Amino acid sequence: MIVYTFARAEEIAVTQEEYDAALEEAMLSLGISEPSLFEMYMGCTIEEYGELNHIHLNLTLDKALDKIYPNVVKNAAA
């Protein structure tokens, strides 16, 4: 919830295009190239897999950290 609250306050959002690309990457990293094969082998759709593995949250966290990290480094050096 903290990540989403920060992301909302900083107007950080994951686009549908970014989310779809992450799902595609996850599927390919498992060696599966087709959504129908994914469901057959994994027992869930790629969308369900994304929800179970918190892919959207991870993308949001990555974007939030990308925004926070430069400030942390700058302040640590001061």
Side-chain angles (χ1 to χ4, degrees):
M1 295 306 283
I2 293 170
V3 172
Y4 281 124
T5 301
F6 175 80
R8 195 172 305 118
E10 294 296 318
E11 298 180 358
I12 297 169
V14 174
T15 66
Q16 186 64 45
E17 200 171 79
E18 291 169 324
Y19 185 66
D20 290 343
L23 292 178
E24 178 80 14
E25 184 180 326
M27 187 171 62
L28 293 174
S29 73
L30 294 168
I32 303 170
S33 59
E34 295 293 325
S36 59
L37 293 174
F38 185 92
E39 189 170 357
M40 185 174 75
Y41 290 125
M42 301 298 289
C44 63
T45 66
I46 186 64
E47 291 81 10
E48 291 168 333
Y49 178 86
E51 290 177 29
L52 291 169
N53 288 282
H54 310 286
I55 290 177
H56 192 277
L57 176 62
N58 290 330
L59 291 171
T60 304
L61 178 59
D62 287 346
K63 286 183 127 182
L65 290 175
D66 286 345
K67 186 160 185 141
I68 294 168
Y69 187 72
N71 292 326
V72 171
V73 171
K74 186 173 88 176
N75 290 336

